[in-house]
């Protein structure tokens, strides 16, 4: 089966055909680095990673770009509120640049822990101001943008397809239902390309421009950085569903008008939200769920990745610690079975047709709009299958893990720290066993159990512990 992806533009699953042969350009909206990523944000980056790995698995020649937003994103996506970076700097009494560096590093660390591959290019908005100004100038020259009250605005009334991506209601847009009034705007849905009339006195990040010293709007960043690295037209753009009605709608408007390409992006692929109690996801509360929260509660980051993989990316996923606990159990069971496969040989001669069927079914599952729950079910079936040798089971699992990213190859028994008195007890038990004094050996085994350890005898005459 060839790859099919759900395209928000057509609201259908479409067969994927890159613009140029086998080459694929993909752009993912990256984090605004004013605070840690919450676990909802991280669900979206896991989804990006699954798409990236699927494209590579299917042997597309991929260039994946993800920006870092370190300027210009206001607390509302529609040009209202405070600059998020400035808000972070005030909160922590640091400079905006320090905030950006600190939270970019923290984000990269989360990505690594979740086995998310780093995209090929990660441009920072602040390194690409020239390109944003160039596009803004083009839009002014083509009469799609205007200067008003010190800011440069995009005129949405000049772009007939403005409502397409978001299926937006034109009347509502005209009445300004989506955004607050801004006296500089000709139409309520117009948006800022360049601010010179800074909304905040102490805006630190400012650049010279033909329209005065200022800083870019948020939406122009993504058009600038994608075109710089992927050209004026490319294949896939991703993000969370919240970006459909404003951010991505505005990106399309300014890009199609500036570059004259239609469609600017062929496939728009959006990830559904992780939903959880609102307070726990609100960065303003300061006490939101992030990867570290899960780690502090005894979860491994891959338990969270496993949790996300068991839902389709276009389904809302409800988070609770009970649900994460279930994922933890599922992951640990799987890990145990995989370690058993590594540690033992079976005498089964593989039925080649069975193996090939798994390979085909895996490709079909990931090709069907990234059906990861189906791919995960295959993993469980492989482990149980009586027509595969252990070696072939592992071959299949390692191969599938190029997409799943659950670290199958690295799975091994974890060495546990054991105190001396426990080791002494185990030694006594061994002596008792060697002397065929089974009742003493059993007593000591029970004592160890009470202390939380299972002792196992290994083939080389030694013993090892498992924590209960
Ligand atoms: P931000 O750093 O706010 O620009 O968000 C980073 C990414 O996370 C964007 O692609 C958002 O669409 C996405 N996102 C925000 N909230 C959630 C959520 N609750 N679940 C999944 N993705 C989210
Ligand atoms: Zn973006």
């Amino acid at each position: 089966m060839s790859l099919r992806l759900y395209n928000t533009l057509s609201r259908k699953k479409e067969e994927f055909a890159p613009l140029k042969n086998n080459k694929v350009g993909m752009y993912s909206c990256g984090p605004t680095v004013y605070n840690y990523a919450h676990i909802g944000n991280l669900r979206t980056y896991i989804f990006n990673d699954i798409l990236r790995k699927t494209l590579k698995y299917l042997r597309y020649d991929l260039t994946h770009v993800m920006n870092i937003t370190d300027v210009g994103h206001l607390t509302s996506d529609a040009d209202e509120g405070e600059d998020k970076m400035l808000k972070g700097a005030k909160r922590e009494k640091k400079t905006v640049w320090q905030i950006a560096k600190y939270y970019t590093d923290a984000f990269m660390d989360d990505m690594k822990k979740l086995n998310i591959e780093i995209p090929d290019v990660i441009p920072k908005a602040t390194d690409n101001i020239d390109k944003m100004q160039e596009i803004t100038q083009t839009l002014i020259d083509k009469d799609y943008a205007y200067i008003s009250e010190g800011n440069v605005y995009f005129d949405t009334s000049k772009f007939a397809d403005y409502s397409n991506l978001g299926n937006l209601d034109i009347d509502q847009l005209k009445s300004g239902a989506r955004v607050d009034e801004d006296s500089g705007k000709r139409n309520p849905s117009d948006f800022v390309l360049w601010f010179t009339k800074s909304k905040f006195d102490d805006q630190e990040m400012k650049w010279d421009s033909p329209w005065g010293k200022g800083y870019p709007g948020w939406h122009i960043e993504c058009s600038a950085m994608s075109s710089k690295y992927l050209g004026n037209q490319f294949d896939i753009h991703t993000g969370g569903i919240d970006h459909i009605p404003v951010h991505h709608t505005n990106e399309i408007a300014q890009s199609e008008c500036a570059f004259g390409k239609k469609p600017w992006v062929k496939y728009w692929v959006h990830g559904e939200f992780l939903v959880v109690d609102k307070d726990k996801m609100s960065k303003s509360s300061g006490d939101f769920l992030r990867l570290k929260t899960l780690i502090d509660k005894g979860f491994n980051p891959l338990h969270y990745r496993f949790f996300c993989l068991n839902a389709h990316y276009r389904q809302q996923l409800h988070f609770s610690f009970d649900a994460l606990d279930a994922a933890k159990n599922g992951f640990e069971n799987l890990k145990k079975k995989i370690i058993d496969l590594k540690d033992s040989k079976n005498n089964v001669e593989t039925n080649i047709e069975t193996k090939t069927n798994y390979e085909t079914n895996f490709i079909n599952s990931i090709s069907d709009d990234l059906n990861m729950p189906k791919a995960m079910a295959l993993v469980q079936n492989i482990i149980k299958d009586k027509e595969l040798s252990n070696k072939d089971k592992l071959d299949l699992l390692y191969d599938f893990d190029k997409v799943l990213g659950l670290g199958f190859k690295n799975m091994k028994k974890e060495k546990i720290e054991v105190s001396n008195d426990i080791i002494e007890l185990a030694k006594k038990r061994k002596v008792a066993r060697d002397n065929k004094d089974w009742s003493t050996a059993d007593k000591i085994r029970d004592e160890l159990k009470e202390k939380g350890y299972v002792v196992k005898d290994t083939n080389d005459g030694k013993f090892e512990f498992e924590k209960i």
Side-chain angles (χ1 to χ4, degrees), residues 31-32 38 40-41 44-45 73 84 239-240 242-243 272-274 281:
T32 307
H38 62 53
N41 301 137
T44 291
Y45 297 110
H73 192 173
K84 288 189 177 182
D242 57 325
H243 285 345
E272 248 293 355
F273 260 34
L274 179 87
M281 296 293 271

Side-chain angles (χ1 to χ4, degrees), residues 222-264:
C222 291
S223 296
M225 288 182 269
S226 57
S227 67
K228 180 162 168 185
Y229 295 101
L230 300 171
N232 287 349
Q233 191 175 33
F234 59 94
D235 300 287
I236 304 177
H237 196 312
T238 71
I241 46 154
D242 57 325
H243 285 345
I244 299 171
V246 183
H247 183 49
H248 289 167
T249 288
N250 291 350
E251 279 189 40
I252 292 176
Q254 68 205 1
S255 303
E256 294 199 352
C257 293
F259 308 143
K261 301 273 188 190
K262 205 162 189 67
W264 168 51

Side-chain angles (χ1 to χ4, degrees), residues 196-462:
T196 65
K197 188 192 73 172
S198 174
K199 297 197 176 195
F200 324 104
D201 303 335
D202 44 0
Q203 175 73 6
E204 272 177 61
M205 292 171 154
K206 281 185 181 171
W207 292 263
D208 287 328
S209 85
W211 322 286
K213 215 175 173 118
Y215 61 101
W218 173 41
H219 316 297
I220 194 72
E221 294 182 6
C222 291
S223 296
M225 288 182 269
S226 57
S227 67
K228 180 162 168 185
Y229 295 101
L230 300 171
N232 287 349
Q233 191 175 33
F234 59 94
D235 300 287
I236 304 177
H237 196 312
T238 71
I241 46 154
D242 57 325
H243 285 345
I244 299 171
V246 183
H247 183 49
H248 289 167
T249 288
N250 291 350
E251 279 189 40
I252 292 176
Q254 68 205 1
S255 303
E256 294 199 352
C257 293
F259 308 143
K261 301 273 188 190
K262 205 162 189 67
W264 168 51
V265 171
K266 209 169 165 195
Y267 304 91
W268 284 86
V269 190
H270 290 101
E272 248 293 355
F273 260 34
L274 179 87
V275 285
V276 63
D277 188 342
K278 216 172 174 199
D279 265 4
K280 293 193 178 127
M281 296 293 271
S282 154
K283 292 190 186 176
S284 57
S285 76
D287 173 29
F288 53 89
L289 289 174
R290 60 186 179 103
L291 193 60
K292 186 170 181 300
T293 325
L294 308 188
I295 296 170
D296 288 348
K297 285 187 186 285
F299 294 97
N300 172 329
L302 294 182
H303 296 152
Y304 184 62
R305 186 173 175 109
F306 183 90
F307 173 68
C308 292
L309 283 177
N310 280 295
H312 190 266
Y313 79 90
R314 282 196 291 115
Q315 277 170 347
Q316 258 193 10
L317 180 56
H318 290 261
F319 179 85
S320 68
F321 279 103
D322 283 347
L324 188 62
D325 245 336
K328 176 181 177 173
N329 286 338
F331 179 90
E332 293 300 330
N333 274 335
L334 178 61
K335 182 171 162 185
K336 210 160 171 283
K337 288 176 191 162
I338 291 177
I339 293 171
D340 284 347
L341 286 179
K342 291 184 191 191
D343 285 350
S344 59
K345 275 204 182 102
N346 60 358
N347 293 324
V348 173
E349 198 166 312
T350 292
N351 178 339
I352 299 298
E353 202 187 322
T354 306
K355 189 175 179 196
T356 314
N357 278 344
Y358 278 116
E359 286 161 344
T360 313
N361 284 339
F362 183 74
I363 291 179
N364 288 347
S365 306
I366 60 174
S367 300
D368 181 16
D369 195 29
L370 315 180
N371 194 334
M372 291 304 130
K374 221 165 156 187
M376 292 298 290
L378 289 175
V379 165
Q380 299 291 353
N381 291 345
I382 287 171
I383 290 174
K384 284 187 285 199
D385 203 303
K386 296 199 163 56
E387 296 186 352
L388 295 173
S389 71
N390 283 3
K391 183 188 167 300
D392 282 320
K393 287 183 182 185
L394 288 171
D395 273 359
L396 285 169
L397 295 175
Y398 292 163
D399 183 53
F400 296 179
D401 203 44
K402 289 176 191 157
V403 178
L404 304 174
L406 292 170
F408 293 161
K409 263 194 187 158
N410 298 331
M411 285 177 173
K412 53 178 184 293
K413 270 201 191 108
E414 274 148 40
K415 276 215 162 14
I416 50 173
E417 295 289 323
V418 181
S419 63
N420 280 339
D421 56 322
I422 299 290
I423 295 173
E424 282 312 313
L425 272 176
K427 277 184 184 164
K428 275 190 197 151
R429 175 179 165 274
K430 180 151 170 36
V431 173
R433 279 177 66 88
D434 289 348
N435 294 333
K436 299 197 172 17
D437 177 0
W438 307 121
S439 74
T440 308
D442 285 353
K443 242 196 236 152
I444 301 177
R445 189 198 55 209
D446 291 345
E447 198 178 336
L448 282 165
K449 228 180 186 171
E450 258 172 44
K451 292 180 190 285
Y453 298 93
V454 171
V455 63
K456 283 187 174 169
D457 304 292
T458 56
N459 291 338
D460 54 3
K462 294 186 179 150

